Amino acid sequence: MTVRTRFAPSPTGFLHIGGVRTALFNYLFAKQQGGRYILRIDDTDQERNVESALAPILHGFRWLGIEWNEGPEVGGPHAPYFQSKRGARYQEAVDALLASGHAYRDYARPEELDVERKAAEAEKRQFQYSRRWMASSAEDRARFEGEGRKWVVRLKMPREGKLVLPDLVRGDVEFQWAQEADHVIQRGDGSFIYHLANVVDDRDFEISHVIRAEEHLSNTPRQLFMVQALGYPMPKYAHLPVVAEPGSKRKLSKRKLEQYLKNPDFKKVHDHGTQIAQAMRLTTAAETFNPVIVDFYEQVGYLPDAIVNYLLLLGWSLDDKTEFFTRDEMVKSFSLERVQGAPASFDPMKLQAFQMRYMQELPLAEKVARARPFVDKAGLTVDDAKLARVVEALGDRIKVFGDILIQGAFFFGEDVSYDEKAWQKRVMAPGAVDKLAEYRGWLAGREAFDAASLDRDTQAWLAERGWALGDIVHAVRVAATGAAGGPGLFECLALIGKATCIHRLDRALARARG
RNA sequence: GGCCCCAUAGUCUAGCGGUUAGGACGUCGGCCUCUCACGCCGAAAUCCCGGGUUCAAUUCCCGGUGGGGUCACCA
């Protein structure tokens, strides 16, 4: 049997980080088994804009390197891969279910159902539809329609016995059929409900393994009921733990940014990204710019490999020590048996740690190339040679590519903005301004402005006066870069260049002296 | 609330009857250093509770408690 897995996003316009984890597991499992991974679009409920709402999702997956073998844009033997275009197949299934008595036309009005539901609630018993408006014959239909009623199609669920669902992650899970409601599968307007579409598609696409998040576990009985009623082969199921909020076990949602920002780690990552976005004058609407959405990481300059590696470890592990995996290693070592059952909290700091590690392994030339777009988007004009030197000087300070604009801000442009705390501590320190002025004078008088000679000659100059490097270095740094930290001072001065250095020192002196 | 799932430090996890309970992120302390970052060294911190089973339970069973998912003419 060929393994075929699928991920089925709804075109919402955003690629959710939890969705990526689920997609990744599907992708890895299929690849490992020599199978195929399919992307199917669950757009039964979308009227329009599917194209534009889908584009960011496809883009996100491509950016992450999670490519699908069949689906939108790549096609495949079972096209179309859009639920909205498969209505005829769903209708056939509904007709079959109706014909075999596994489904019925129901003419109940919503209010009437509500009355039953409330009554059950009042009596503290489980609601079970009376099937009072179930049409069992042509006569029933005529009568109900005569009353001006409209129908929906409901599943006629068993009301006794149990279902044992063999789950690859959780083992056998038992459900009582009587607990299951007569779910609607076709709406009054003729459109189809997801569960029906899902079952038909999984069969049509020959899906062998349904790997999805736990939130779908309780949907499985009604889906299996349809699978059996329609005589479809039963796929294997694996219900993954949900990806949870930072510091909690609740399902991660993209609608709760405000709340997540109360988490210090999440806020840190978000604010850092915002700073970068602002340097590029990007809009940072919560809808699109949010660490729960993959697009955030692309815009800020994370590495896809770091994100994928991090996500791999959300709910899965190989052993007690291996944390870093190449794509090939992931494919080779992934297994559903080692998937965790409990929710896994999304930890943005750990993601960042992976990011840093992957960044460290990147050759300089590639770092430079990938930092380029950020510099351009910020509207800075920097030639390749200087950019390369800046990236090299910044070293590990560039944790995400966008950091070139934060950590390296003072390498570009004429003026800098001062870190007020550092300014007070370093420039306004007693005696610092006079020494700064003297050093400025000496600096202005020299020709050579490379880091090595600046370093050597400054030491000599200091020695003449009986000063130590510590007497001037901090004030000079703040005056020339505006920042409290950064690469070696002489490296900074050399990169900034003599003219700009002098200009900045003059400006700082003027500011310090009021 | 019903049904279902789950339970090792703040977080991700290893463990599958006997371990000083291992690793990673984070935290704290130190070293390196012109600063910051990196790096290095070290430290604190975990088996939800109660019953069984067993010579022996973090590990197996049951119960409780806690957390989560789900209960739509959303997907």
Side-chain angles (χ1 to χ4, degrees):
Chain A
M1 180 190 68
T2 319
V3 166
R4 292 172 60 85
T5 65
R6 48 74 168 173
F7 180 69
S10 180
T12 54
F14 313 106
L15 184 51
H16 190 269
I17 203 91
V20 174
R21 196 284 316 263
T22 300
L24 175 66
F25 284 18
N26 273 282
Y27 168 84
L28 292 176
F29 184 72
K31 286 211 100 169
Q32 179 194 81
Q33 301 288 316
R36 289 169 73 80
Y37 165 66
I38 290 114
L39 199 60
R40 178 233 292 170
I41 307 307
D42 282 11
D43 56 351
T44 54
D45 198 39
Q46 309 280 323
E47 297 98 29
R48 67 201 140 250
N49 286 338
V50 170
E51 292 276 307
S52 64
L54 181 59
I57 293 171
L58 299 185
H59 173 84
F61 278 129
R62 290 220 164 92
W63 181 68
L64 290 167
I66 302 174
E67 303 275 347
W68 52 103
N69 299 116
E70 297 172 27
E73 293 181 0
V74 306
H78 303 286
Y81 292 86
F82 291 80
Q83 291 192 329
S84 59
K85 294 182 179 152
R86 305 179 49 77
R89 286 290 299 133
Y90 307 147
Q91 189 59 256
E92 285 174 38
V94 169
D95 291 345
L97 255 10
L98 242 17
S100 65
H102 290 98
Y104 59 90
R105 285 198 174 77
D106 182 51
Y107 286 84
R109 297 190 166 107
E111 318 85 73
E112 290 162 341
L113 247 24
D114 268 356
V115 169
E116 289 198 4
R117 203 171 279 125
K118 296 242 168 64
E121 219 168 279
E123 292 166 42
K124 292 197 161 184
R125 68 179 157 78
Q126 192 212 326
F127 166 65
Q128 195 173 50
Y129 175 41
S130 67
R131 293 179 180 162
R132 220 180 117 185
W133 293 280
M134 168 175 81
S136 310
S137 62
E139 293 76 56
D140 287 347
R141 294 188 61 183
R143 190 175 80 245
F144 290 138
E145 278 163 29
E147 294 171 15
R149 293 171 177 276
K150 305 258 290 179
W151 56 264
V152 297
V153 178
R154 288 182 184 279
L155 254 15
K156 191 171 181 184
M157 300 295 285
R159 291 193 165 173
E160 56 187 25
K162 67 179 183 184
L163 164 73
V164 179
L165 164 69
D167 188 281
L168 262 20
V169 171
R170 289 154 210 282
D172 287 352
V173 182
E174 290 190 12
F175 298 90
Q176 296 300 319
W177 281 121
Q179 296 283 344
E180 295 296 316
D182 285 358
H183 300 281
V184 172
I185 54 173
Q186 184 169 23
R187 301 187 185 93
D189 65 2
S191 65
F192 305 94
I193 293 290
Y194 158 78
H195 300 287
L196 184 268
N198 181 63
V199 163
V200 172
D201 289 342
D202 281 348
R203 135 74 193 250
D204 284 0
F205 298 167
E206 300 177 80
I207 301 302
S208 65
H209 291 72
V210 174
I211 302 169
R212 60 191 359 178
E214 195 205 331
E215 58 197 277
H216 290 284
L217 185 54
S218 59
N219 297 156
T220 311
R222 82 189 75 160
Q223 294 181 193
L224 271 180
F225 173 76
M226 287 186 271
V227 166
Q228 286 166 0
L230 290 163
Y232 292 172
M234 189 171 121
K236 291 191 164 47
Y237 289 91
H239 286 93
L240 312 173
V242 296
V243 175
E245 301 172 346
S248 130
K249 296 292 182 194
R250 252 159 292 145
K251 190 169 75 169
L252 195 61
S253 149
K254 64 188 154 225
R255 302 262 168 236
K256 288 157 85 175
L257 178 67
E258 285 301 317
Q259 189 189 315
Y260 299 161
L261 289 176
K262 288 179 192 149
N263 176 288
D265 292 343
F266 191 88
K267 181 169 165 49
K268 206 158 133 190
V269 170
H270 174 268
D271 291 352
H272 175 223
T274 302
Q275 214 186 336
I276 290 167
Q278 279 165 356
M280 298 187 291
R281 293 174 201 83
L282 289 176
T283 49
T284 56
E287 279 276 288
T288 52
F289 198 76
N290 169 345
V292 167
I293 293 164
V294 170
D295 196 47
F296 171 90
Y297 299 99
E298 187 183 0
Q299 295 200 61
V300 169
Y302 278 70
L303 289 162
D305 283 345
I307 295 170
V308 169
N309 198 150
Y310 170 68
L311 257 19
L312 172 69
L313 268 2
L314 266 190
W316 179 85
S317 66
L318 176 63
D319 53 29
D320 59 340
K321 39 185 70 86
T322 317
E323 287 226 292
F324 292 90
F325 294 82
T326 63
R327 295 298 171 107
D328 283 348
E329 287 164 347
M330 288 181 198
V331 168
K332 215 173 100 190
S333 42
F334 183 76
S335 65
L336 290 171
E337 292 74 48
R338 293 196 62 86
V339 171
Q340 205 76 10
S345 302
F346 174 65
D347 180 354
M349 293 309 283
K350 182 133 187 176
L351 202 196
Q352 214 177 51
F354 273 96
Q355 166 63 21
M356 202 179 69
R357 287 291 304 270
Y358 272 90
M359 200 63 134
Q360 283 172 342
E361 279 166 28
L362 222 54
L364 180 64
E366 196 172 338
K367 267 167 96 169
V368 174
R370 300 186 69 156
R372 179 93 246 174
F374 289 84
V375 173
D376 292 345
K377 275 187 221 161
L380 301 168
T381 34
V382 189
D383 62 57
D384 287 344
K386 177 164 181 183
L387 183 62
R389 288 175 66 200
V390 168
V391 170
E392 185 169 23
L394 253 14
D396 289 338
R397 292 172 193 82
I398 299 182
K399 294 188 167 128
V400 299
F401 292 110
D403 280 329
I404 185 86
L405 305 175
I406 309 300
Q407 301 296 323
F410 53 75
F411 287 124
F412 312 113
E414 277 302 291
D415 293 327
V416 292
S417 55
Y418 303 103
D419 174 335
E420 269 316 315
K421 242 178 89 184
W423 174 272
Q424 288 302 329
K425 184 176 171 193
R426 302 304 197 182
V427 180
M428 301 313 286
V433 173
D434 292 340
K435 290 190 175 108
L436 182 62
E438 256 192 82
Y439 188 65
R440 181 263 176 226
W442 175 77
L443 218 48
R446 52 182 287 121
E447 288 297 316
F449 223 79
D450 61 287
S453 76
L454 275 171
D455 191 348
R456 192 184 58 235
D457 299 346
T458 298
Q459 301 287 0
W461 180 82
L462 286 167
E464 280 170 29
R465 261 142 258 265
W467 292 349
L469 183 58
D471 291 329
I472 60 157
V473 71
H474 300 110
V476 175
R477 173 184 296 282
V478 175
T481 71
L489 178 65
F490 302 110
E491 218 171 335
C492 286
L493 296 181
L495 261 167
I496 292 165
K498 183 176 166 186
T500 305
C501 275
I502 299 302
H503 165 79
R504 289 183 185 174
L505 292 195
D506 285 340
R507 180 164 169 259
L509 286 165
R511 184 179 200 249
R513 287 169 168 156

